[in-house]
Amino acid sequence: MAQIAYVNGAYVPLSEAGVNIEDRGYQFADGVYEVCLVVDGQFWDEAGHLARWGRSLDALSIRRPISDRALKIVMNQVVRKNRLDSALVYMQATRGVAPRNHPFPGDAVSPSLVLTARRFRLENSNQIAARGVNVITAPDIRWARVDIKSISLLPNILAKEAAQRAGAGEAWLLRDGAVTEGTSSNAWIVNAAGELVTHPKGHAILGGITRETLLHCAASLQIKVVEKQFSLADAMAAREAFLTSATNLVMPVVKIDEKKIGDGRPGPLTMRLREAYIRECRARAG
Ligand code: PDD
């Protein structure tokens, strides 16, 4: 069956889906995106993703292409039309199509909206989690507003490519000696005191929706969380390390730059948190 995409009001075969070459997303990366997870027909953390979608659009003064109510319908339809039960839904809005010129075009230009869905298998993710992933480190050369989920991702893809070439699943980004986050995930460690440590929210990281729900899970489990910067040395000396994102849920990190974390296997607290996160999302969705 052909895959189906949503493009500006129409559902079209993915192979025929396209945007105008003067779309400002294509020319300036002038747009925002979200990646939402659907498991067994239920969106996980949907409200959080929609809220961040709105915040990113507002931060860049891009109008909402359609209302959140309409967007939810399209999100569901794109999953249904691709006959998927579990999926990753990608949605992207750009400032629209206009002759190339740096200033914003006038209000007559409508934002563009595109959605796609691809299969997700929780079992596959669980299998990867049972082994854990390796990360490398790379300098954080991104701009000063990475809290906006912009489609401008060159530093992220360069570091991810370096990770892939090194046989690692993610690169943790270093700024002024601190680990900010991964190229497409948030970074966490469990320190010697058994506390969870993750970079505080602000302009230097993307405030992950998975991160937010996991903070709630940790509180329910009475695990102490400290939202503060940690160094690469802290990470190397950690008992456990993991990353979070809609695509990875809670994913153990077993090596950083070839150094084993703990005993080099997924940590017990990490796995408890992964289970708690999955339980919480299922409970919220159901
Ligand atoms: N990335 N930090 C960055 C830089 C990200 O790109 C992402 C998500 C996260 C985690 O956010 P969340 O928990 O809301 O998924 C943190 C998506 C999945 C992507 O770019 O594919």
Side-chain angles (χ1 to χ4, degrees):
M1 193 197 80
Q3 284 179 278
I4 304 294
Y6 171 93
V7 185
N8 293 325
Y11 294 94
V12 289
L14 188 63
S15 55
E16 292 163 26
V19 292
N20 191 299
I21 61 162
E22 290 205 297
D23 190 283
R24 287 179 64 97
Y26 183 60
Q27 295 195 322
F28 294 118
D30 186 4
V32 307
Y33 76 105
E34 276 297 328
V35 179
C36 303
L37 180 61
V38 183
V39 180
D40 299 333
Q42 307 269 19
F43 275 87
W44 284 11
D45 277 334
E46 185 181 38
H49 285 283
L50 286 177
R52 186 174 62 192
W53 169 255
R55 282 197 301 278
S56 298
L57 289 168
D58 289 346
L60 300 182
S61 305
I62 297 175
R63 288 204 309 276
R64 280 165 183 62
I66 55 178
S67 69
D68 279 2
R69 205 166 146 246
L71 182 56
K72 277 193 200 175
I73 294 169
V74 175
M75 289 162 72
N76 276 292
Q77 284 289 86
V78 85
V79 174
R80 210 176 59 82
K81 285 182 189 287
N82 283 289
R83 302 204 185 150
L84 295 171
D85 224 25
S86 297
L88 285 162
V89 173
Y90 177 78
M91 52 204 226
Q92 171 178 316
T94 71
R95 203 179 304 278
V97 177
R100 187 178 183 280
N101 193 14
H102 289 65
F104 296 174
D107 283 347
V109 172
S110 308
S112 306
L113 178 63
V114 165
L115 278 88
T116 55
R118 69 181 158 90
R119 187 179 301 283
F120 174 83
R121 287 197 169 90
L122 186 58
E123 316 82 73
N124 290 2
S125 175
N126 288 339
Q127 276 169 19
I128 298 167
R131 294 192 302 272
V133 298
N134 299 344
V135 308
I136 61 159
T137 54
D140 191 342
I141 57 170
R142 300 173 301 162
W143 74 321
R145 286 303 308 275
V146 299
D147 55 311
I148 301 169
K149 202 159 171 58
S150 140
I151 58 172
S152 173
L153 291 171
L154 263 181
N156 308 59
I157 63 167
L158 292 175
K160 187 78 104 187
E161 174 66 14
Q164 185 155 317
R165 281 170 192 247
E170 179 59 299
W172 278 8
L173 305 174
L174 297 170
R175 176 171 290 163
D176 301 328
V179 175
T180 50
E181 59 178 336
T183 69
S184 60
S185 57
N186 289 116
W188 306 66
I189 57 170
V190 180
N191 68 15
E195 299 161 341
L196 281 183
V197 185
T198 194
H199 195 289
K201 268 172 83 170
H203 290 174
I205 65 161
L206 181 78
I209 305 306
T210 317
R211 176 188 182 281
E212 216 57 50
T213 300
L214 197 69
L215 287 174
H216 170 85
C217 294
S220 307
L221 295 172
Q222 296 182 329
I223 297 164
K224 182 157 184 228
V225 184
V226 191
E227 293 181 70
K228 67 166 191 199
Q229 291 192 347
F230 61 91
S231 66
L232 179 56
D234 294 334
M236 296 284 199
R239 272 195 204 165
E240 302 182 25
F242 62 91
L243 54 87
T244 56
S245 71
T247 44
N248 284 288
L249 318 177
V250 176
M251 185 57 69
V253 169
V254 292
K255 265 189 197 170
I256 302 174
D257 283 343
E258 292 299 319
K259 157 101 177 44
K260 275 187 193 170
I261 304 305
D263 63 1
R265 282 182 303 203
L269 191 57
T270 303
M271 294 313 269
R272 252 179 90 201
L273 286 164
R274 182 177 167 92
E275 281 161 27
Y277 176 75
I278 292 172
R279 238 188 353 260
E280 176 70 18
C281 288
R282 284 201 193 281
R284 285 187 189 185

